[in-house]
Amino acid sequence: IKDSATLTRDVLEQHFSDLKGTLKKLLDERLMSLLQEVDVIEQESIKPLDECQKLIEHGVSTADDLLREGESAVDGDVGQQNEKLCNFTKKALHIQLDSLPEVPSLVDVPCLSAQLDDCLLTILKNQIFRHGTVASRPPVQLEEFVEKPGGILVRWCKVDEDFIPQDYRLQYRKSTASHFEDVYVGSETEFMVLHIDPNVDYQFRVCARGDGRQEWSPWSVPQTGHTSLVPHEWTTGLEGYSLSSRRNIALRNDSQSCGVLYSKAPTYFCGQTLTFRQTVGQPDRRDSLGVCVEQRNGDDSLQRDKAVCISTNGAVFVNGKEMTNQLPAVTSGSTVTFDMEVVQLGPCSNEGGNFKLRVTISSNNREVVFDWVLDQCCGSLYFGCSFSYPGWKVLVF
Protein backbone atom coordinates (compact mmCIF):
# COMPACT_ATOMS: atom_id res chain seq x y z
CA ILE A 1 0.00 0.00 0.00
CA LYS A 2 2.79 2.43 0.93
CA ASP A 3 4.67 1.78 -2.31
CA SER A 4 1.59 2.28 -4.46
CA ALA A 5 0.61 5.41 -2.49
CA THR A 6 4.10 6.88 -2.95
CA LEU A 7 4.04 6.07 -6.67
CA THR A 8 0.56 7.60 -7.01
CA ARG A 9 1.71 10.82 -5.32
CA ASP A 10 4.70 11.05 -7.64
CA VAL A 11 2.50 10.49 -10.69
CA LEU A 12 -0.02 13.14 -9.58
CA GLU A 13 2.65 15.74 -8.76
CA GLN A 14 4.45 15.18 -12.05
CA HIS A 15 1.21 15.29 -14.06
CA PHE A 16 -0.02 18.54 -12.51
CA SER A 17 3.43 20.11 -12.75
CA ASP A 18 3.47 19.28 -16.47
CA LEU A 19 -0.09 20.56 -16.79
CA LYS A 20 0.77 23.90 -15.15
CA GLY A 21 3.75 24.33 -17.44
CA THR A 22 1.64 23.56 -20.49
CA LEU A 23 -1.17 25.91 -19.41
CA LYS A 24 1.30 28.76 -18.78
CA LYS A 25 2.83 28.19 -22.21
CA LEU A 26 -0.60 28.22 -23.87
CA LEU A 27 -1.66 31.40 -22.02
CA ASP A 28 1.61 33.15 -22.95
CA GLU A 29 1.13 32.17 -26.59
CA ARG A 30 -2.45 33.49 -26.56
CA LEU A 31 -1.36 36.77 -24.92
CA MET A 32 1.35 37.29 -27.56
CA SER A 33 -1.16 36.62 -30.32
CA LEU A 34 -3.62 39.20 -28.95
CA LEU A 35 -0.87 41.83 -28.45
CA GLN A 36 0.22 41.31 -32.04
CA GLU A 37 -3.38 41.92 -33.16
CA VAL A 38 -3.38 45.23 -31.22
CA ASP A 39 -0.09 46.27 -32.88
CA VAL A 40 -1.40 45.47 -36.37
CA ILE A 41 -4.69 47.37 -35.87
CA GLU A 42 -2.87 50.37 -34.37
CA GLN A 43 -0.36 50.60 -37.20
CA GLU A 44 -2.98 50.19 -39.94
CA SER A 45 -5.40 52.72 -38.36
CA ILE A 46 -2.92 55.46 -37.40
CA LYS A 47 -1.22 55.68 -40.82
CA PRO A 48 -3.94 57.67 -42.72
CA LEU A 49 -4.47 59.94 -39.71
CA ASP A 50 -0.75 60.72 -39.55
CA GLU A 51 -0.76 61.56 -43.27
CA CYS A 52 -3.78 63.84 -42.79
CA GLN A 53 -2.08 65.60 -39.89
CA LYS A 54 1.05 66.18 -41.97
CA LEU A 55 -1.02 67.79 -44.78
CA ILE A 56 -2.81 70.08 -42.35
CA GLU A 57 0.43 71.13 -40.66
CA HIS A 58 1.99 71.81 -44.09
CA GLY A 59 -1.02 73.96 -45.11
CA VAL A 60 -0.88 75.95 -41.86
CA SER A 61 2.85 76.54 -42.30
CA THR A 62 2.32 77.72 -45.90
CA ALA A 63 -0.47 80.08 -44.83
CA ASP A 64 1.71 81.46 -42.04
CA ASP A 65 4.53 82.14 -44.48
CA LEU A 66 2.14 83.88 -46.87
CA LEU A 67 0.74 86.00 -44.04
CA ARG A 68 4.19 87.24 -43.06
CA GLU A 69 4.96 87.99 -46.73
CA GLY A 70 1.74 90.07 -47.00
CA GLU A 71 2.62 92.03 -43.86
CA SER A 72 6.06 92.77 -45.32
CA ALA A 73 4.49 94.01 -48.59
CA VAL A 74 2.23 96.44 -46.73
CA ASP A 75 5.00 97.83 -44.55
CA GLY A 76 7.47 98.61 -47.42
CA ASP A 77 7.85 101.83 -49.43
CA VAL A 78 5.51 102.67 -52.30
CA GLY A 79 7.77 101.37 -55.07
CA GLN A 80 8.45 98.10 -53.34
CA GLN A 81 4.84 97.74 -52.17
CA ASN A 82 3.53 97.45 -55.69
CA GLU A 83 6.03 94.73 -56.59
CA LYS A 84 5.58 92.84 -53.32
CA LEU A 85 1.82 93.10 -53.48
CA CYS A 86 1.89 91.76 -57.03
CA ASN A 87 4.01 88.80 -55.98
CA PHE A 88 1.85 88.24 -52.92
CA THR A 89 -1.31 88.26 -55.03
CA LYS A 90 0.08 85.75 -57.52
CA LYS A 91 1.25 83.40 -54.75
CA ALA A 92 -2.07 83.66 -52.92
CA LEU A 93 -3.92 82.70 -56.08
CA HIS A 94 -1.83 79.53 -56.45
CA ILE A 95 -2.21 78.38 -52.83
CA GLN A 96 -5.56 76.85 -51.91
CA LEU A 97 -5.90 78.10 -48.38
CA ASP A 98 -9.55 77.15 -48.19
CA SER A 99 -9.06 73.35 -48.77
CA LEU A 100 -8.35 70.63 -46.18
CA PRO A 101 -7.68 66.89 -46.61
CA GLU A 102 -10.57 64.58 -45.92
CA VAL A 103 -10.64 63.76 -42.22
CA PRO A 104 -12.46 60.52 -41.26
CA SER A 105 -15.45 60.95 -39.02
CA LEU A 106 -15.13 59.95 -35.41
CA VAL A 107 -17.28 56.86 -35.83
CA ASP A 108 -14.86 55.58 -38.48
CA VAL A 109 -11.80 55.92 -36.30
CA PRO A 110 -10.90 52.64 -34.52
CA CYS A 111 -10.97 52.59 -30.74
CA LEU A 112 -9.25 49.46 -29.44
CA SER A 113 -10.44 47.48 -26.46
CA ALA A 114 -10.05 43.96 -25.07
CA GLN A 115 -13.02 41.62 -24.58
CA LEU A 116 -12.24 39.04 -21.91
CA ASP A 117 -14.97 36.56 -21.05
CA ASP A 118 -14.85 35.69 -17.36
CA CYS A 119 -16.77 32.46 -18.00
CA LEU A 120 -13.45 30.88 -19.09
CA LEU A 121 -12.40 30.78 -15.45
CA THR A 122 -15.66 29.03 -14.54
CA ILE A 123 -15.22 26.48 -17.33
CA LEU A 124 -11.60 25.85 -16.38
CA LYS A 125 -12.52 25.55 -12.72
CA ASN A 126 -15.21 22.97 -13.46
CA GLN A 127 -12.90 21.00 -15.73
CA ILE A 128 -9.97 21.12 -13.32
CA PHE A 129 -12.02 19.94 -10.37
CA ARG A 130 -13.23 17.00 -12.42
CA HIS A 131 -9.77 16.20 -13.78
CA GLY A 132 -8.13 13.04 -12.46
CA THR A 133 -9.32 10.37 -10.07
CA VAL A 134 -7.70 8.21 -7.44
CA ALA A 135 -8.68 4.54 -7.49
CA SER A 136 -8.19 2.30 -4.47
CA ARG A 137 -7.77 -0.69 -6.78
CA PRO A 138 -7.51 -1.26 -10.56
CA PRO A 139 -10.63 -2.58 -12.33
CA VAL A 140 -8.76 -5.67 -13.63
CA GLN A 141 -6.26 -7.98 -11.97
CA LEU A 142 -4.06 -10.85 -13.05
CA GLU A 143 -5.67 -14.15 -12.13
CA GLU A 144 -3.52 -17.10 -13.19
CA PHE A 145 -0.23 -18.13 -14.79
CA VAL A 146 -0.09 -21.51 -16.53
CA GLU A 147 3.33 -22.88 -17.43
CA LYS A 148 3.74 -23.88 -21.05
CA PRO A 149 6.81 -25.13 -22.93
CA GLY A 150 8.71 -21.94 -23.69
CA GLY A 151 5.74 -19.80 -22.74
CA ILE A 152 3.25 -18.70 -20.09
CA LEU A 153 -0.51 -18.63 -20.47
CA VAL A 154 -1.62 -15.47 -18.63
CA ARG A 155 -5.23 -15.05 -17.50
CA TRP A 156 -6.85 -11.97 -15.97
CA CYS A 157 -10.29 -10.97 -14.73
CA LYS A 158 -12.44 -7.92 -14.01
CA VAL A 159 -12.78 -7.08 -10.29
CA ASP A 160 -14.89 -3.92 -10.60
CA GLU A 161 -18.48 -4.91 -11.28
CA ASP A 162 -19.41 -1.42 -12.51
CA PHE A 163 -16.56 -1.30 -15.03
CA ILE A 164 -17.46 -2.26 -18.62
CA PRO A 165 -14.23 -3.17 -20.46
CA GLN A 166 -13.75 -2.65 -24.16
CA ASP A 167 -10.10 -3.71 -24.51
CA TYR A 168 -7.38 -5.13 -22.32
CA ARG A 169 -3.67 -4.36 -22.46
CA LEU A 170 -1.07 -6.84 -21.17
CA GLN A 171 2.58 -5.93 -20.60
CA TYR A 172 5.58 -7.91 -19.42
CA ARG A 173 9.27 -7.59 -18.72
CA LYS A 174 12.13 -9.73 -17.49
CA SER A 175 12.74 -9.26 -13.80
CA THR A 176 16.11 -7.68 -14.70
CA ALA A 177 14.61 -5.20 -17.20
CA SER A 178 13.60 -1.65 -16.31
CA HIS A 179 10.73 -1.13 -18.76
CA PHE A 180 7.53 -3.03 -19.51
CA GLU A 181 6.54 -3.67 -23.13
CA ASP A 182 3.17 -4.41 -24.71
CA VAL A 183 2.57 -8.04 -25.54
CA TYR A 184 -1.21 -8.06 -26.13
CA VAL A 185 -4.05 -5.57 -26.77
CA GLY A 186 -7.52 -6.97 -27.39
CA SER A 187 -10.81 -8.12 -25.93
CA GLU A 188 -9.74 -11.59 -24.71
CA THR A 189 -9.07 -12.30 -21.02
CA GLU A 190 -6.11 -14.61 -21.61
CA PHE A 191 -3.03 -14.66 -23.78
CA MET A 192 -0.21 -17.09 -24.48
CA VAL A 193 3.08 -15.24 -24.06
CA LEU A 194 5.72 -17.06 -26.11
CA HIS A 195 9.52 -16.79 -26.32
CA ILE A 196 9.83 -17.13 -22.54
CA ASP A 197 13.19 -18.36 -21.28
CA PRO A 198 12.83 -21.33 -18.89
CA ASN A 199 13.41 -20.76 -15.17
CA VAL A 200 13.56 -16.96 -15.57
CA ASP A 201 11.16 -14.68 -13.68
CA TYR A 202 8.99 -12.30 -15.70
CA GLN A 203 6.74 -9.55 -14.36
CA PHE A 204 3.28 -9.00 -15.81
CA ARG A 205 0.64 -6.29 -15.46
CA VAL A 206 -2.68 -5.61 -17.14
CA CYS A 207 -5.03 -2.66 -17.55
CA ALA A 208 -8.28 -2.05 -19.40
CA ARG A 209 -10.08 0.62 -21.40
CA GLY A 210 -13.71 1.32 -20.60
CA ASP A 211 -16.40 1.12 -23.24
CA GLY A 212 -16.29 4.24 -25.40
CA ARG A 213 -13.25 5.66 -23.57
CA GLN A 214 -9.80 6.54 -24.90
CA GLU A 215 -7.73 6.47 -21.72
CA TRP A 216 -6.51 3.27 -20.04
CA SER A 217 -7.30 2.33 -16.48
CA PRO A 218 -4.63 2.11 -13.76
CA TRP A 219 -2.30 -0.90 -14.02
CA SER A 220 -2.90 -4.00 -11.96
CA VAL A 221 -0.45 -4.98 -9.25
CA PRO A 222 2.59 -6.49 -11.07
CA GLN A 223 2.91 -10.22 -10.54
CA THR A 224 5.73 -12.62 -11.30
CA GLY A 225 5.42 -15.71 -13.49
CA HIS A 226 7.85 -18.20 -14.96
CA THR A 227 7.97 -21.53 -16.74
CA SER A 228 10.18 -24.48 -15.97
CA LEU A 229 9.29 -26.21 -19.24
CA VAL A 230 11.78 -26.05 -22.09
CA PRO A 231 10.31 -24.78 -25.38
CA HIS A 232 9.14 -27.18 -28.05
CA GLU A 233 11.48 -27.24 -31.06
CA TRP A 234 11.37 -28.86 -34.46
CA THR A 235 14.40 -30.89 -35.43
CA THR A 236 16.76 -29.35 -37.96
CA GLY A 237 18.13 -30.77 -41.18
CA LEU A 238 15.04 -32.14 -42.94
CA GLU A 239 15.23 -30.97 -46.53
CA GLY A 240 11.54 -30.17 -47.06
CA TYR A 241 11.21 -27.75 -44.15
CA SER A 242 12.63 -24.37 -43.15
CA LEU A 243 12.67 -23.37 -39.48
CA SER A 244 12.48 -20.06 -37.63
CA SER A 245 15.38 -18.86 -35.50
CA ARG A 246 13.77 -20.28 -32.34
CA ARG A 247 12.90 -23.49 -34.22
CA ASN A 248 9.29 -23.40 -33.00
CA ILE A 249 7.92 -22.56 -36.47
CA ALA A 250 8.27 -24.90 -39.44
CA LEU A 251 7.57 -23.88 -43.05
CA ARG A 252 7.01 -26.46 -45.78
CA ASN A 253 9.22 -25.16 -48.58
CA ASP A 254 9.27 -25.82 -52.33
CA SER A 255 11.52 -28.86 -52.05
CA GLN A 256 10.17 -32.04 -53.64
CA SER A 257 11.50 -34.03 -50.72
CA CYS A 258 8.81 -35.36 -48.39
CA GLY A 259 8.81 -36.96 -44.98
CA VAL A 260 7.81 -36.41 -41.38
CA LEU A 261 9.31 -33.50 -39.48
CA TYR A 262 9.70 -34.52 -35.83
CA SER A 263 10.40 -32.61 -32.65
CA LYS A 264 13.99 -32.23 -31.55
CA ALA A 265 13.28 -34.30 -28.43
CA PRO A 266 10.32 -36.06 -26.73
CA THR A 267 9.25 -32.85 -24.95
CA TYR A 268 5.50 -33.51 -24.78
CA PHE A 269 4.40 -34.92 -21.43
CA CYS A 270 1.00 -36.28 -20.51
CA GLY A 271 -1.07 -33.76 -18.59
CA GLN A 272 0.08 -30.88 -20.80
CA THR A 273 -1.65 -29.30 -23.78
CA LEU A 274 0.19 -29.44 -27.09
CA THR A 275 -0.93 -26.72 -29.51
CA PHE A 276 -0.36 -26.32 -33.24
CA ARG A 277 -1.27 -23.09 -35.05
CA GLN A 278 -0.93 -23.10 -38.79
CA THR A 279 -1.10 -21.15 -42.03
CA VAL A 280 -2.66 -23.36 -44.66
CA GLY A 281 -1.46 -24.45 -48.05
CA GLN A 282 -2.87 -26.96 -50.53
CA PRO A 283 -4.19 -29.94 -48.50
CA ASP A 284 -3.53 -33.62 -49.16
CA ARG A 285 -5.07 -36.69 -47.52
CA ARG A 286 -1.64 -37.86 -46.32
CA ASP A 287 -0.95 -34.61 -44.39
CA SER A 288 -0.65 -35.07 -40.64
CA LEU A 289 -0.24 -33.24 -37.32
CA GLY A 290 0.18 -35.29 -34.18
CA VAL A 291 2.30 -37.17 -31.63
CA CYS A 292 4.15 -40.44 -31.69
CA VAL A 293 6.16 -42.76 -29.44
CA GLU A 294 9.35 -42.63 -31.49
CA GLN A 295 10.95 -40.99 -34.49
CA ARG A 296 10.99 -43.24 -37.53
CA ASN A 297 12.77 -42.32 -40.74
CA GLY A 298 11.32 -43.29 -44.10
CA ASP A 299 7.66 -42.52 -43.34
CA ASP A 300 5.88 -39.81 -45.28
CA SER A 301 3.07 -39.35 -42.71
CA LEU A 302 2.17 -39.92 -39.05
CA GLN A 303 -0.74 -42.06 -40.24
CA ARG A 304 1.08 -45.14 -38.91
CA ASP A 305 1.36 -47.33 -35.81
CA LYS A 306 2.48 -45.86 -32.47
CA ALA A 307 1.12 -42.46 -33.50
CA VAL A 308 -2.08 -40.45 -33.30
CA CYS A 309 -2.70 -37.53 -35.67
CA ILE A 310 -5.19 -35.38 -37.50
CA SER A 311 -5.11 -34.84 -41.26
CA THR A 312 -5.59 -31.40 -42.76
CA ASN A 313 -9.05 -32.49 -43.95
CA GLY A 314 -10.07 -33.29 -40.35
CA ALA A 315 -9.71 -37.09 -40.40
CA VAL A 316 -8.32 -38.60 -37.14
CA PHE A 317 -5.92 -41.56 -37.24
CA VAL A 318 -4.96 -43.88 -34.35
CA ASN A 319 -2.08 -46.28 -35.02
CA GLY A 320 -2.64 -45.79 -38.76
CA LYS A 321 -6.39 -46.49 -38.69
CA GLU A 322 -8.92 -43.78 -39.50
CA MET A 323 -11.62 -43.17 -36.91
CA THR A 324 -15.26 -42.74 -37.80
CA ASN A 325 -15.39 -39.45 -35.88
CA GLN A 326 -13.97 -36.56 -37.84
CA LEU A 327 -13.02 -32.97 -37.00
CA PRO A 328 -13.44 -29.86 -39.18
CA ALA A 329 -10.77 -29.26 -41.80
CA VAL A 330 -7.76 -27.29 -40.63
CA THR A 331 -8.07 -23.58 -41.48
CA SER A 332 -5.54 -20.76 -41.53
CA GLY A 333 -4.96 -19.29 -38.08
CA SER A 334 -6.92 -22.00 -36.28
CA THR A 335 -5.39 -24.14 -33.54
CA VAL A 336 -5.24 -27.91 -33.11
CA THR A 337 -4.64 -29.10 -29.55
CA PHE A 338 -3.70 -32.48 -28.10
CA ASP A 339 -4.40 -33.33 -24.44
CA MET A 340 -3.51 -36.71 -22.93
CA GLU A 341 -3.88 -38.36 -19.55
CA VAL A 342 -2.64 -41.75 -18.46
CA VAL A 343 -5.08 -44.64 -17.92
CA GLN A 344 -3.02 -47.69 -16.95
CA LEU A 345 -4.55 -51.11 -17.67
CA GLY A 346 -1.90 -53.37 -16.21
CA PRO A 347 1.40 -53.35 -14.38
CA CYS A 348 3.97 -51.09 -16.00
CA SER A 349 7.56 -52.29 -15.98
CA ASN A 350 10.72 -51.84 -18.00
CA GLU A 351 9.68 -54.84 -20.04
CA GLY A 352 6.48 -53.04 -21.05
CA GLY A 353 2.83 -53.86 -20.58
CA ASN A 354 -0.62 -52.63 -21.45
CA PHE A 355 -0.60 -48.85 -21.32
CA LYS A 356 -3.53 -46.63 -22.24
CA LEU A 357 -3.64 -42.89 -22.84
CA ARG A 358 -6.90 -40.95 -23.01
CA VAL A 359 -6.48 -38.54 -25.90
CA THR A 360 -8.49 -35.39 -26.63
CA ILE A 361 -7.93 -33.67 -29.99
CA SER A 362 -9.63 -30.29 -30.51
CA SER A 363 -9.97 -28.24 -33.68
CA ASN A 364 -12.30 -25.37 -34.61
CA ASN A 365 -14.40 -25.67 -31.43
CA ARG A 366 -14.95 -29.40 -31.85
CA GLU A 367 -13.16 -32.32 -30.21
CA VAL A 368 -12.85 -36.10 -30.29
CA VAL A 369 -11.93 -38.24 -27.27
CA PHE A 370 -10.57 -41.79 -27.50
CA ASP A 371 -8.22 -44.23 -25.75
CA TRP A 372 -4.85 -44.97 -27.28
CA VAL A 373 -3.48 -48.36 -26.24
CA LEU A 374 0.28 -48.86 -26.32
CA ASP A 375 2.46 -51.84 -25.53
CA GLN A 376 4.94 -49.79 -23.49
CA CYS A 377 5.05 -47.05 -20.87
CA CYS A 378 5.58 -43.61 -22.35
CA GLY A 379 6.59 -40.79 -20.04
CA SER A 380 7.11 -38.39 -22.93
CA LEU A 381 6.26 -38.28 -26.61
CA TYR A 382 7.56 -36.76 -29.83
CA PHE A 383 5.37 -34.51 -31.97
CA GLY A 384 5.52 -34.23 -35.75
CA CYS A 385 3.96 -33.00 -38.95
CA SER A 386 3.97 -33.85 -42.65
CA PHE A 387 2.70 -31.90 -45.64
CA SER A 388 2.79 -32.89 -49.28
CA TYR A 389 2.61 -29.37 -50.73
CA PRO A 390 4.46 -26.11 -49.91
CA GLY A 391 2.93 -23.14 -48.13
CA TRP A 392 2.06 -24.80 -44.83
CA LYS A 393 3.49 -23.13 -41.72
CA VAL A 394 3.13 -24.56 -38.23
CA LEU A 395 3.83 -22.93 -34.87
CA VAL A 396 4.04 -25.34 -31.93
CA PHE A 397 3.73 -24.45 -28.25
Side-chain angles (χ1 to χ4, degrees), residues 223-342:
Q223 296 188 39
T224 301
H226 76 281
T227 181
S228 58
L229 306 175
V230 297
H232 292 316
E233 294 183 12
W234 298 104
T235 191
T236 59
L238 190 62
E239 184 179 348
Y241 294 86
S242 304
L243 306 183
S244 64
S245 59
R246 288 182 175 264
R247 296 182 293 279
N248 61 340
I249 300 176
L251 171 66
R252 180 69 168 91
N253 56 36
D254 295 334
S255 173
Q256 297 300 316
S257 175
C258 60
V260 177
L261 177 66
Y262 292 101
S263 58
K264 180 180 178 181
T267 53
Y268 174 64
F269 296 88
C270 294
Q272 299 177 357
T273 298
L274 179 69
T275 304
F276 299 98
R277 183 178 297 149
Q278 55 282 315
T279 301
V280 301
Q282 181 180 342
D284 185 88
R285 65 181 184 86
R286 292 291 292 168
D287 294 340
S288 60
L289 280 170
V291 296
C292 57
V293 175
E294 59 190 4
Q295 293 181 341
R296 202 164 73 184
N297 297 326
D299 294 322
D300 61 356
S301 176
L302 284 176
Q303 299 173 18
R304 60 170 177 81
D305 62 328
K306 296 185 178 181
V308 294
C309 67
I310 176 176
S311 178
T312 52
N313 62 9
V316 178
F317 293 85
V318 182
N319 291 331
K321 295 181 179 179
E322 185 176 355
M323 295 181 61
T324 55
N325 292 336
Q326 186 165 333
L327 292 169
V330 174
T331 56
S332 189
S334 66
T335 58
V336 176
T337 62
F338 287 75
D339 291 275
M340 298 188 187
E341 58 178 335
V342 177

Side-chain angles (χ1 to χ4, degrees), residues 47 101 138 144 157 168 181 259 271 356 364:
K47 184 178 179 181
E144 184 182 17
C157 62
Y168 297 99
E181 60 181 272
K356 181 166 65 174
N364 287 320

Side-chain angles (χ1 to χ4, degrees), residues 3 33 43 78 87 101 106 108 113 157 160 183 202 217 229 246 260 265 286 304 324 345 362 366 369-370:
D3 289 344
S33 175
Q43 293 171 6
V78 177
N87 291 333
L106 192 60
D108 294 330
S113 63
C157 62
D160 184 351
V183 69
Y202 288 80
S217 73
L229 306 175
R246 288 182 175 264
V260 177
R286 292 291 292 168
R304 60 170 177 81
T324 55
L345 294 180
S362 302
R366 288 183 57 186
V369 182
F370 56 90

Side-chain angles (χ1 to χ4, degrees), residues 79-93:
Q80 292 179 339
Q81 280 183 348
N82 291 332
E83 184 181 353
K84 289 183 177 180
L85 285 173
C86 182
N87 291 333
F88 171 77
T89 303
K90 290 180 180 179
K91 187 178 290 187
L93 290 173

